[in-house]
């Protein structure tokens, strides 16, 4: 059975017209098998994730791949059901320096996103850059080593927080989504999210989640 937390609360997020949220992921990305359930999931994820990225005034990373001085990008979308949606985007330049941009909406991750409320920018310290690089080596996000989506079975978390990590260089794009229950302690994706939260000044993760 697909995740039990995907019930009425999250379905309410799709009442109303779909507008700018379309096209934030490659067509069919979240439903790679040719079945109606996979098509539904692809549409569900695309609209849910996309509407929050649109409200954050973010680019479509799979189309607008890194260019110029930027050689690699990582974007985390953090969607707690009942609390503010947040986003952290890291960009790496040719010297290995990472910069970040943090954004926060005033809506709810499982309902309507609201509008952009906070934007902050900064540089990533050398120690955190080393840890990011080590985690990325283990996750290998631009390969098939880490599945884009998994069926973790029934979940029993306090909140239905969903996370979306996108990765892109000049030639390749990939995205990985996980419910918070699908990342146990010691999981590299969880460690990366916690590190991004630390870099943001503990702004990404809302209280009583994750």
């Amino acid at each position: 059975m697909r995740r039990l937390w995907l019930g009425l609360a999250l379905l309410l997020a799709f009442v109303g017209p779909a507008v700018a949220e379309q096209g934030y992921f490659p067509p069919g990305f979240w439903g790679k098998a040719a079945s109606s359930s996979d098509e539904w999931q692809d549409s569900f994820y695309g609209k849910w994730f996309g509407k929050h990225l649109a409200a954050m005034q973010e680019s479509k990373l799979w189309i607008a791949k890194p260019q110029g001085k930027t050689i690699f990008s990582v974007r985390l979308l953090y969607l707690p059901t009942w609390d503010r949606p947040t986003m952290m985007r890291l960009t790496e330049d040719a010297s290995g320096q990472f910069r970040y941009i943090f954004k926060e909406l005033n809506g709810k991750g499982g309902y309507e996103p609201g509008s952009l409320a906070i934007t902050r920018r900064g540089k990533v310290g050398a120690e955190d850059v080393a840890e990011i690089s080590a985690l990325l080596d283990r996750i290998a996000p631009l390969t098939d080593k880490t599945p884009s989506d998994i069926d973790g079975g029934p979940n029993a978390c306090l909140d239905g927080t969903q996370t979306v990590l996108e990765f892109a260089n000049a030639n390749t794009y990939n995205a990985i989504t996980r419910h918070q229950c699908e990342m146990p302690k010691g999981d590299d994706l969880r460690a990366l999210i916690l590190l991004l939260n630390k870099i943001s000044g503990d702004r990404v993760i809302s209280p009583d989640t994750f």
Side-chain angles (χ1 to χ4, degrees):
M1 179 183 233
R2 233 20 213 177
R3 303 173 181 85
L4 297 179
W5 58 270
L6 287 178
L8 179 59
L10 291 179
L11 290 175
L12 291 174
F14 302 98
V15 176
V19 283
E21 70 267 15
Q22 299 292 345
Y24 268 88
F25 302 93
F29 183 83
W30 298 115
K32 294 184 174 69
S35 71
S36 58
S37 61
D38 289 327
E39 290 173 7
W40 179 90
Q41 178 169 297
D42 189 61
S43 176
F44 181 86
Y45 279 170
K47 290 177 181 178
W48 181 18
F49 304 157
K51 71 193 300 183
H52 289 83
L53 291 169
M56 290 168 173
Q57 302 168 24
E58 281 292 292
S59 63
K60 296 172 181 178
L61 193 54
W62 72 280
I63 297 174
K65 293 190 181 77
Q67 53 189 321
K69 294 182 179 179
T70 299
I71 63 168
F72 182 68
S73 295
V74 181
R75 180 164 65 191
L76 166 66
L77 178 65
Y78 192 84
L79 298 174
T81 304
W82 312 108
D83 214 331
R84 56 186 174 82
T86 56
M87 185 280 303
M88 272 284 282
R89 176 163 40 87
L90 303 186
T91 55
E92 181 187 11
D93 64 24
S95 70
Q97 174 64 59
F98 278 89
R99 295 181 179 273
Y100 75 84
I101 181 168
F102 166 84
K103 294 182 180 180
E104 179 182 320
L105 301 177
N106 59 11
K108 294 182 179 179
Y111 293 88
E112 286 303 316
S115 57
L116 186 60
I118 297 173
T119 302
R120 297 180 186 272
R121 292 175 171 84
K123 228 184 234 191
V124 181
E127 185 177 330
D128 290 331
V129 169
E131 191 173 348
I132 289 167
S133 298
L135 285 167
L136 291 176
D137 284 345
R138 295 200 295 271
I139 295 167
L142 296 179
T143 70
D144 293 328
K145 179 179 178 180
T146 304
S148 290
D149 189 24
I150 60 174
D151 185 359
N155 298 307
C157 291
L158 295 176
D159 180 87
T161 297
Q162 189 80 7
T163 64
V164 188
L165 283 157
E166 295 176 86
F167 308 87
N169 62 20
N171 303 307
T172 310
Y173 167 89
N174 195 21
I176 298 170
T177 187
R178 295 287 189 272
H179 181 276
Q180 63 175 333
C181 284
E182 296 170 338
M183 295 177 288
K185 290 181 179 179
D187 183 273
D188 287 331
L189 291 174
R190 187 182 190 93
L192 179 58
I193 292 167
L194 290 171
L195 178 56
L196 295 178
N197 180 60
K198 172 193 165 188
I199 293 167
S200 76
D202 296 326
R203 297 185 181 98
V204 170
I205 296 176
S206 55
D208 301 321
T209 64
F210 214 63

